[in-house]
Amino acid sequence: MYFNADCKYSSLPAMCKKAVSYLNRDEIWRMTRIWNDSNSLFIDLIEECKEVGDRAADELTKVLNAIKNSINDRNKCAYVINDLLLPLLYSILDNSDNSVDINDEYTVSGSKSGFASLYDKRFGKYVNNSEDPLWEAMERADALLKPETQRIYILGAELGYLAYACWLATFKAAQIVVLDTEENIRTACDYGLLGRINEENIVLLCGDDYEELFEAFTTQDELTEFTAYYITQNIPIRAPKSGSMMQDFMNNQMLARAYEPRYAVNYWKNKKNSTGSLADFNEYIAKQGKESLLDECIVVAAGPSLADNIDFLKENKGKRFIIAISTAVRKLSAEGIKPDVVTILDPLPTVMPHLKGVGEFIKDVPLLLESVSYWEFTEKYPAPKFRVFATDYEKVLEEAGETNAEIWYGGSTVSVFAMEIAVKLGAKKVYLIGADFAYPGNKRYAHSESEDAVFETYVTSVDGNPVGSTENFKHFISDTEQVIKKYHGKVRFINKSRHGAYIKGAFSGKWWESIPTDPAGINEFLKNILEEKTFKWPERFFILEQAVTGSEMAGTLLDGACWENIAVTFEEIKKEFLCELSYDAASIQKKTGLILLLTTFFSEESDELTTKILEDAVTLRNKGKNVIILNSCEYLGGSPVAVENPVEVLYPEALAEKQDVVYKGVGFPYFQAPKGMPDADVIRSFLDMFSSSVPELVINYDPFSLMAAAFETITTVEHR
């Protein structure tokens, strides 16, 4: 017997599997309810089979009676449903030979359940389960939702099965928000189940730009804590700019769901077993007389470079505060170097071997743990233990809110967590030891003498050579750099590894870390900027600005040759930047009479540059010109490259929210780029903003502005 993809009976196989699931969990009442809800469909199916003379009608009747008679025998009932009824339903409903081409990318195919399944022709794979897509969606909905879920955002319609399953799982009460292109949503309504959701429960947001849809998807609303989010698997492929961000979002969501049961157990056990909070820890350290050590902290991980820094640690014991990651404790014990605190982050039992054989050594060393770290480690740790908060687990957020405690940045690796500890304890200088994030000498750990590391990729090492690493380590490197960037200008991070991964922003003895002040030295410095292979344009721009600004602050007079070299260096940076910007000006419309005054610095104070810009604005307005002021904030922005005595620049953040500035009674529209410029994506967004009203002229007040270089791709730029 053949049914199309909209067959009302196609939900029966999924209902049968759900019934078996309830039976296996001894939830007989839920099984009975779902069976009663499906009863009328079975009756109608038997009647239709009889009408066409299908012998399946008798077989269905026989099997259904067997289920009715065995309802009190859980195992037998599950057997009849799973082994007798399901194969029979599949034989009746199977339309897997049927398919329809939707467009050049997708085909809608039938399935054993009779539902349609989406097939991606580009990658040769099914987007939905090709046997029973509704059952797959129901399982996913169960993992995604909580009883209090009131709204579900789904980026990617597929064929609407997940949206429909979420609606059913919330007893048809929750609001379902689906974001996708108009064509994909129409396909999901025509061939899938999106159209079966009650109108009052479904919101469809259409758009052709997946970056914009992703932004809408991640926008928080008033139901944040009662809202679930899900991105379907094919969406990141369609979003070249935000695909990696979407994939990260998906991975984080999956990890959060996978770890939540462990978080729950770890949280209540640690709450029971810990001695106190960060405030209690600070009191404990004060009683030990170690407050004076906190200005400079040493974070000790277990990478191979730990072995190279044993003498450094011995020399600094009692002089600097030593924070040991649990993996490093055995090596420190063997060397007789007692840390001032041990820390853990991992919620898994893999941390337990780190305690083996070191109990006596650390019996007076406190433990500072994240509140959902593995509970047994805390329970068996022989010294006082103190909890802090660095996850978004709901119980952690709830307790932090009640106690007015700060949520720290825990990151994806315990090294990052330890760096955060150092900063929170007041460190102004943090040394990183054993944070290699690579396998120099093919060694995994400092205590390993064998060359047994297996790597899957390479990263640039501190010594400038490629060194074996992993994709996970690359993520840890990025995470570490984010912490350094976060505290740039406030905390100095020093990487003591000499052959591990190079970490941007951490001092490691590189040539660029000490900026010369004499013209000859600066000329050599500029040459190195262009030759350094580890840099991309943001790093080059940053240290160029540091060199120019630093020399000016030092009172160094740069000669003509220096300025010529500076200009050459900037031109090379500009070329690299424009390649990344890759702005398509083909759609730019006719230029307007607008004049854009572009500056890299603008202040409410009456400094010389700001006054000049405002005077020019008034002059142009008096000539009947429409004038806008744009502050691109390209002043020591870029990536956090470590430099000696970095120049502190006060950003004009007070103006960031203003929409206009007034001078001599005349108001001018004012825009300001965010802190951290220059950034290619931000600059691209400004070009987009002016794409429908292209200025006839941009007047630029800084010869080293990448924003000005970007505007040269769409209009005339005059440099003043």
Side-chain angles (χ1 to χ4, degrees):
M1 191 171 181
Y2 173 82
F3 294 100
N4 62 29
D6 194 38
C7 174
K8 68 177 183 178
Y9 306 118
S10 295
S11 61
L12 287 175
M15 296 302 114
C16 289
K17 292 178 183 178
K18 182 61 72 175
V20 171
S21 174
Y22 289 149
L23 286 170
N24 291 337
R25 301 201 307 245
D26 282 331
E27 296 179 353
I28 305 299
W29 68 274
R30 297 186 75 178
M31 181 275 176
T32 305
R33 191 200 72 208
I34 197 172
W35 204 253
N36 289 338
D37 289 345
S38 303
N39 190 54
S40 61
L41 280 178
F42 278 116
I43 292 172
D44 290 347
L45 179 57
I46 290 171
E47 290 302 316
E48 287 204 32
C49 287
K50 286 180 179 178
E51 288 178 9
V52 296
D54 196 320
R55 291 173 55 190
D58 294 335
E59 294 181 51
L60 269 175
T61 303
K62 182 180 177 180
V63 172
L64 291 173
N65 285 333
I67 293 170
K68 181 179 179 182
N69 294 333
S70 63
I71 194 68
N72 293 321
D73 185 340
R74 184 195 66 186
N75 291 331
K76 182 178 180 181
C77 190
Y79 161 75
V80 175
I81 295 173
N82 205 51
D83 288 42
L84 301 180
L85 180 56
L86 269 173
L88 181 56
L89 286 174
Y90 284 146
S91 69
I92 297 171
L93 301 172
D94 190 351
N95 67 347
S96 53
D97 291 336
N98 190 33
S99 66
V100 177
D101 281 336
I102 300 300
N103 50 40
D104 293 338
E105 297 176 348
Y106 289 120
T107 294
V108 168
S109 302
S111 70
K112 290 176 67 175
S113 68
F115 276 131
S117 186
L118 201 59
Y119 182 78
D120 191 324
K121 292 185 283 187
R122 297 167 302 163
F123 300 99
K125 66 177 183 179
Y126 283 95
V127 177
N128 308 103
N129 185 284
S130 60
E131 181 178 282
D132 192 342
L134 179 58
W135 170 245
E136 174 192 50
M138 291 172 73
E139 288 287 275
R140 196 163 288 160
D142 280 350
L144 180 63
L145 304 179
K146 298 178 181 179
E148 62 268 25
T149 302
Q150 299 178 28
R151 183 175 296 165
I152 303 102
Y153 283 89
I154 302 172
L155 179 57
E158 291 187 344
L159 288 181
Y161 294 113
L162 179 59
Y164 184 77
C166 288
W167 182 55
L168 292 182
T170 59
F171 305 102
K172 302 183 179 181
Q175 184 183 56
I176 317 295
V177 183
V178 179
L179 306 91
D180 209 328
T181 66
E182 186 174 349
E183 181 183 12
N184 288 349
I185 286 177
R186 184 168 57 249
T187 300
C189 291
D190 292 344
Y191 293 93
L193 297 183
L194 201 59
R196 294 192 187 182
I197 302 173
N198 288 346
E199 287 186 9
E200 60 267 25
N201 293 102
I202 185 79
V203 175
L204 303 175
L205 299 180
C206 301
D208 293 325
D209 189 324
Y210 279 106
E211 276 73 28
E212 292 179 3
L213 288 173
F214 180 60
E215 184 177 351
F217 171 80
T218 54
T219 300
Q220 301 297 305
D221 55 30
E222 72 279 5
L223 294 175
T224 300
E225 60 182 306
F226 305 112
T227 305
Y229 299 88
Y230 191 84
I231 300 177
T232 54
Q233 63 174 336
N234 267 31
I235 292 299
I237 301 171
R238 297 178 167 276
K241 295 179 188 175
S242 304
S244 60
M245 293 172 59
M246 293 180 187
Q247 192 63 53
D248 286 344
F249 186 96
M250 293 167 68
N251 292 341
N252 290 337
Q253 291 285 301
M254 287 188 287
L255 281 173
R257 290 196 296 273
Y259 277 102
E260 191 166 358
R262 284 196 178 274
Y263 283 172
V265 174
N266 290 343
Y267 172 77
W268 71 262
K269 290 287 283 187
N270 286 335
K271 189 174 183 180
K272 177 182 177 182
N273 292 325
S274 64
T275 307
S277 64
L278 179 64
D280 299 314
F281 176 76
N282 287 330
E283 288 183 16
Y284 184 88
I285 293 299
K287 288 178 181 178
Q288 290 187 322
K290 294 183 177 181
E291 281 182 305
S292 61
L293 306 181
L294 295 175
D295 279 350
E296 296 191 12
C297 291
I298 304 173
V299 170
V300 185
S305 67
L306 169 54
D308 302 329
N309 286 279
I310 295 300
D311 289 343
F312 176 81
L313 286 166
K314 288 180 177 179
E315 291 168 6
N316 283 280
K317 183 70 189 87
K319 298 177 182 177
R320 295 182 170 106
F321 195 81
I322 298 176
I323 303 169
I325 292 164
S326 62
T327 50
V329 172
R330 288 171 63 189
K331 178 66 174 177
L332 295 179
S333 174
E335 298 290 344
I337 303 169
K338 187 169 289 189
D340 298 296
V341 67
V342 172
T343 187
I344 59 168
L345 178 70
D346 201 323
L348 303 174
T350 49
V351 295
M352 291 307 297
H354 306 161
L355 278 178
K356 187 176 181 181
V358 297
E360 185 66 23
F361 178 71
I362 57 173
K363 66 180 182 181
D364 57 350
V365 178
L367 174 69
L368 195 57
L369 66 135
E370 206 293 314
S371 55
V372 295
S373 301
Y374 186 57
W375 69 269
E376 191 177 2
F377 189 99
T378 308
E379 188 168 82
K380 293 185 176 180
Y381 194 83
K385 34 252 183 174
F386 304 88
R387 286 187 313 138
V388 296
F389 306 119
T391 65
D392 57 0
Y393 174 58
E394 59 184 354
K395 291 295 182 183
V396 169
L397 298 178
E398 184 179 310
E399 184 182 354
E402 291 172 353
T403 58
N404 198 30
E406 184 180 0
I407 302 293
W408 294 10
Y409 179 65
S412 56
T413 172
V414 66
S415 296
V416 167
F417 179 57
M419 291 166 67
E420 190 76 8
I421 289 174
V423 174
K424 291 296 189 292
L425 292 178
K428 298 296 184 290
K429 188 180 290 186
V430 179
Y431 294 86
L432 304 178
I433 290 178
D436 295 286
F437 304 125
Y439 299 130
N442 283 358
K443 292 182 180 179
R444 289 177 178 271
Y445 301 108
H447 58 261
S448 172
E449 297 301 325
S450 61
E451 298 182 356
D452 59 354
V454 177
F455 53 88
E456 58 198 44
T457 186
Y458 287 92
V459 295
T460 300
S461 70
V462 174
D463 57 21
N465 298 313
V467 60
S469 186
T470 67
E471 292 301 326
N472 254 356
F473 277 162
K474 288 171 74 173
H475 184 63
F476 294 164
I477 293 168
S478 176
D479 215 6
T480 303
E481 291 172 349
Q482 287 303 309
V483 175
I484 294 173
K485 187 174 183 178
K486 176 182 177 183
Y487 297 111
H488 180 68
K490 300 175 183 176
V491 181
R492 177 172 173 158
F493 293 90
I494 301 162
N495 185 6
K496 294 291 288 182
S497 174
R498 286 296 167 263
H499 307 291
Y502 170 62
I503 300 171
K504 293 176 185 176
F507 290 82
S508 56
K510 290 294 190 180
W511 62 264
W512 58 80
E513 292 174 5
S514 182
I515 297 175
T517 55
D518 62 291
I522 289 179
N523 280 330
E524 185 65 24
F525 191 81
L526 295 171
K527 177 183 176 184
N528 290 337
I529 292 177
L530 296 181
E531 292 181 350
E532 178 57 51
K533 301 302 180 185
T534 61
F535 285 161
K536 294 184 178 179
W537 70 264
E539 289 84 18
R540 298 187 204 281
F541 183 87
F542 184 86
I543 62 172
L544 175 65
E545 284 281 7
Q546 289 279 15
V548 174
T549 309
S551 61
E552 290 176 349
M553 298 287 284
T556 303
L557 293 176
L558 301 182
D559 57 25
C562 267
W563 284 112
E564 185 176 338
N565 286 334
I566 289 169
V568 169
T569 305
F570 178 73
E571 285 302 312
E572 291 302 314
I573 294 170
K574 185 169 77 171
K575 288 178 186 176
E576 193 176 338
F577 160 72
L578 290 174
C579 284
E580 181 178 323
L581 185 72
S582 62
Y583 190 77
D584 182 10
S587 61
I588 297 300
Q589 298 177 16
K590 185 178 180 181
K591 295 179 183 179
T592 63
L594 176 68
I595 304 292
L596 177 64
L597 305 185
L598 176 61
T599 177
T600 56
F601 188 83
F602 192 90
S603 174
E604 286 183 301
E605 306 299 327
S606 56
D607 64 279
E608 185 178 347
L609 174 62
T610 300
T611 301
K612 176 174 176 53
I613 294 168
L614 291 171
E615 287 287 351
D616 287 349
V618 171
T619 300
L620 290 165
R621 179 67 63 83
N622 289 338
K623 293 180 179 179
K625 298 293 185 180
N626 186 15
V627 178
I628 288 179
I629 300 171
L630 170 58
N631 177 14
S632 64
C633 289
E634 299 168 81
Y635 205 62
L636 299 188
S639 296
V641 178
V643 288
E644 191 71 41
N645 300 319
V647 180
E648 289 288 340
V649 173
L650 297 177
Y651 268 82
E653 294 184 78
L655 287 172
E657 301 300 323
K658 287 194 174 183
Q659 299 300 308
D660 58 82
V661 291
V662 178
Y663 183 70
K664 292 185 177 180
V666 183
F668 302 96
Y670 174 84
F671 297 91
Q672 181 168 302
K675 192 173 181 178
M677 289 292 286
D679 180 277
D681 288 336
V682 173
I683 292 176
R684 194 181 292 110
S685 71
F686 274 103
L687 291 180
D688 288 338
M689 183 172 72
F690 288 99
S691 62
S692 58
S693 56
V694 180
E696 70 173 65
L697 179 65
V698 172
I699 299 176
N700 174 40
Y701 294 85
D702 188 333
F704 306 123
S705 167
L706 292 176
M707 180 79 83
F711 269 99
E712 284 177 345
T713 64
I714 65 172
T715 191
T716 303
V717 177
E718 175 187 310
H719 299 278
R720 290 189 179 179

